[in-house]
Amino acid sequence: MFVVTLTYVADLAQVDDALPDHIAWLDRQYADGVFAASGPRIPRVGGVILARDLTREDLDRRLAADPFHQRGIAEYAVTEFAPSRAAEGLEPLLPRP
C-alpha cells in the first residue's frame, strides 16, 4: 500500500481550473481498483491518496498521468507501507491472501 501526499505548487485558481480533469483521472484509478481513498488536505494545501495492489512503478506511471502533475500544479511524496491491522470495517485495506 502507498500513501501519496500531494502538495500544491500553484495558486488555488489553477488547482480549481484543473480539478474536473483531476477528478476524472481519480475516477479511472478507482475503476481500476488501485485507489482505496482520497481527499483534500486541511487546510487546502494539497491532497492524500491511498493506493494498493500495484507496484511502485505502476503508481509512478499513474501519477505522471494526473493532470495536476502534467500541468505542474502539484508535487508528490510517496510512502510505501505494509498494513498489518485495520479497524473493523476496514479489513479490505489489508493485503489479500
Side-chain angles (χ1 to χ4, degrees), residues 15-90:
V15 172
D16 289 339
D17 285 344
L19 196 55
D21 293 335
H22 174 73
I23 290 171
W25 171 81
L26 286 170
D27 289 344
R28 290 190 298 276
Q29 310 318 305
Y30 279 104
D32 285 349
V34 297
F35 281 8
S38 62
R41 291 169 51 192
I42 300 171
R44 191 174 175 211
V45 295
V48 176
I49 299 168
L50 294 181
R52 62 181 181 161
D53 297 333
L54 74 169
T55 64
R56 174 63 192 260
E57 292 77 19
D58 187 22
L59 177 61
D60 288 343
R61 181 182 56 76
R62 290 169 185 268
L63 294 176
D66 180 0
F68 281 178
H69 172 78
Q70 293 179 337
R71 297 179 193 185
I73 291 171
E75 293 179 343
Y76 303 76
V78 177
T79 303
E80 185 173 5
F81 79 105
S84 58
R85 296 179 66 181
E88 186 176 330
L90 296 177

